[in-house]
Amino acid sequence: MMPDDYPTPLEPQDRLESELQRVQPRPAQLDWLALERLVAAQDPSGSTTSPSSKSWPAPLSLSAAWMSGAMVGALLTLWIQSSPPTRPADQPPSTMSSIAAHDATTLQVDAPKLAASERMRTNDPWDDGLVASLDQPQYRAGWPRAGRLVYHSDREAINRVTIPRPDSRPGIQQLPQHQLRSQLMQELAPSWE
Amino acid sequence: MGDAPADSISSQQLRDLVEAHAAALVLYARQWCPHPDDAVQEALVDLVGTRPQPDKCVAWLFKTVRRKAMNQLRTESRRAKHETAAMIGRTAWFVTDSSLPLELDDLQTALTQLPDLEREVVVAHLWGKLTFEQIGLLVEVSSSAAHRAYRRALTRLSAKLDPTFEKHS
């Protein structure tokens, strides 16, 4: 007999089980565009569409910039394909299609500001692990999880962005963590308004 | 989408998979890591690049997400273990629904207090819709052991949630 066919006894927890089945997990917040791009790139027939692919930057250039070291300490401007903040940051899109539907505008974010935000999480955000994250497939597929930046204008999302080390933000680095976050949020907010 | 193996996954197949299973996959990954969406994203990227397409895509995704989440946990632990744990704990796992006769905060707390195996089995079966046979393969126990773990978990949850559950009934 298959385990899933075990007779289910009528126990108090069975009612709980049926109620638990009604509870919905929070929707996933994925970079659907990056996935579609990846599917399209692997489809030689080109039958899948890749929305607005022309306006996406080549992620390799950022990675290469890091590897060369030419942009260390420089003000790097990332043009990130993203959607406008039409919903509060704490309300994720309910479906992937809602992400794609809003994917029409660009978002400009200063890399040093994001870099400074990395300092909130770890004293040395420039370790190999973070830098290596740039080389992950999802980043190569479409730099860099842009939708999450908008829908999650919070520390978690920003922390996922890894960029060259800025050497010119001593004031920021000296702030306590909670103040640092507030300041960064203030500075970043106009970029997506 | 069907589970028939194919050479590569289509955009529509991927979309269907994500619509049907991504939320449960994120919940599953959330048990271990602070960035569960990333673990799921990476698993989907792997799926797109897998030739031929896995025989059982959903079960394959759960296994891959599990590995990604654990890898992420190890990396995070090296950086800031305490912060990782805090982030996992403070993120809401479920969609608020006032019609439910449950306090979702209590449910989340009760789930986090379950033994690891029981929590994993409950999430994989209740929300991931995996069979106990699939779960057994996932967590490397027999299917009957997975089923027993599930029943034990429900008993524990029932004991913890009964007060709030009854209040709404």
Side-chain angles (χ1 to χ4, degrees), chain B residues 32-67:
Chain B
W32 298 286
C33 64
H35 304 293
D37 299 283
D38 284 0
V40 175
Q41 176 92 14
E42 289 174 14
L44 289 166
V45 168
D46 283 3
L47 176 64
V48 172
T50 298
R51 300 284 189 283
Q53 195 177 321
D55 200 16
K56 304 282 185 186
C57 274
V58 177
W60 184 93
L61 275 172
F62 270 86
K63 193 166 190 69
T64 306
V65 164
R66 186 178 197 262
R67 180 166 46 82

Side-chain angles (χ1 to χ4, degrees), chain A residues 149-172:
Chain A
L149 258 180
V150 167
Y151 292 116
H152 282 240
S153 55
D154 64 11
R155 178 175 170 188
E156 177 182 350
I158 292 170
N159 277 345
R160 305 311 295 166
V161 180
T162 304
I163 43 91
R165 179 200 298 269
D167 294 331
S168 57
R169 300 287 298 235
I172 282 280

Side-chain angles (χ1 to χ4, degrees), chain A residues 2-4 6-9 11-17 19-32 34-36 38-39 42-43 48-49 94-97 100 120-122 127 129-130 136-139 141 145 148 152 155-157 159-160 177, chain B residues 9-11 14-15 18-19 22-24 26-27 30 34-38 40-42 44-45 48-49 51 76 79-80 83 87 91-95 99-102 104 107 125-127 129 131-133 143-144 147 150-151 154-155 157-158 161 165-166 169:
Chain A
M2 292 292 293
D4 288 330
Y6 289 169
T8 307
E11 295 175 359
Q13 63 262 40
D14 291 335
R15 191 160 57 100
L16 174 65
E17 181 181 26
E19 292 300 337
L20 289 176
Q21 287 169 339
R22 294 172 53 204
V23 177
Q24 296 297 313
R26 285 183 63 187
Q29 294 158 57
L30 304 172
D31 187 346
W32 176 246
L35 290 172
E36 282 220 316
L38 203 56
V39 173
Q42 303 202 12
D43 180 6
T48 51
T49 57
S94 58
T95 64
M96 292 179 305
S97 57
M120 293 186 296
R121 191 162 62 126
T122 134
D127 63 76
L130 282 172
Q136 293 297 310
Q138 71 271 28
Y139 294 102
R145 315 299 308 278
R148 301 193 64 202
H152 282 240
R155 178 175 170 188
E156 177 182 350
N159 277 345
R160 305 311 295 166
Q177 283 202 352
Chain B
I9 196 165
S10 72
S11 181
L14 186 64
R15 185 177 290 270
V18 171
E19 290 283 5
V26 169
L27 177 65
R30 203 181 288 286
H35 304 293
D37 299 283
D38 284 0
V40 175
Q41 176 92 14
E42 289 174 14
L44 289 166
V45 168
V48 172
R51 300 284 189 283
E76 292 292 332
R79 288 182 197 150
E83 203 165 305
M87 191 176 289
T91 305
W93 290 11
F94 300 102
V95 176
S99 71
L100 291 171
L102 284 167
L104 294 181
L107 170 59
H125 183 66
L126 267 181
W127 292 287
K129 310 295 184 196
T131 66
F132 290 113
E133 185 178 6
S143 53
S144 53
H147 183 263
Y150 177 72
R151 299 307 301 181
L154 278 188
T155 302
L157 289 175
S158 181
L161 296 172
F165 189 48
E166 295 300 332
S169 298

Side-chain angles (χ1 to χ4, degrees), chain A:
Chain A
M1 182 167 59
M2 292 292 293
D4 288 330
D5 295 328
Y6 289 169
T8 307
L10 291 175
E11 295 175 359
Q13 63 262 40
D14 291 335
R15 191 160 57 100
L16 174 65
E17 181 181 26
S18 66
E19 292 300 337
L20 289 176
Q21 287 169 339
R22 294 172 53 204
V23 177
Q24 296 297 313
R26 285 183 63 187
Q29 294 158 57
L30 304 172
D31 187 346
W32 176 246
L33 287 173
L35 290 172
E36 282 220 316
R37 240 177 209 80
L38 203 56
V39 173
Q42 303 202 12
D43 180 6
S45 69
S47 59
T48 51
T49 57
S50 180
S52 61
S53 58
K54 289 180 181 176
S55 58
W56 279 67
L60 185 60
S61 63
L62 183 62
S63 190
W66 166 255
M67 295 303 290
S68 71
M71 300 187 75
V72 173
L75 178 66
L76 172 67
T77 300
L78 303 175
W79 287 93
I80 300 174
Q81 183 84 21
S82 190
S83 57
T86 52
R87 61 174 66 81
D90 60 350
Q91 289 183 17
S94 58
T95 64
M96 292 179 305
S97 57
S98 68
I99 297 176
H102 291 295
D103 182 56
T105 63
T106 56
L107 170 68
Q108 184 177 8
V109 177
D110 289 336
K113 292 177 182 174
L114 292 173
S117 77
E118 280 286 5
R119 294 183 185 281
M120 293 186 296
R121 191 162 62 126
T122 134
N123 290 330
D124 184 12
W126 312 106
D127 63 76
D128 290 343
L130 282 172
V131 173
S133 69
L134 267 182
D135 201 35
Q136 293 297 310
Q138 71 271 28
Y139 294 102
R140 288 199 294 269
W143 168 260
R145 315 299 308 278
R148 301 193 64 202
L149 258 180
V150 167
Y151 292 116
H152 282 240
S153 55
D154 64 11
R155 178 175 170 188
E156 177 182 350
I158 292 170
N159 277 345
R160 305 311 295 166
V161 180
T162 304
I163 43 91
R165 179 200 298 269
D167 294 331
S168 57
R169 300 287 298 235
I172 282 280
Q173 292 166 32
Q174 290 164 7
L175 289 173
Q177 283 202 352
H178 66 283
Q179 288 181 24
L180 176 59
R181 183 176 186 221
S182 301
Q183 175 149 344
L184 285 166
M185 290 303 101
Q186 280 184 338
E187 292 185 16
L188 286 169
S191 299
W192 54 58
E193 280 175 356

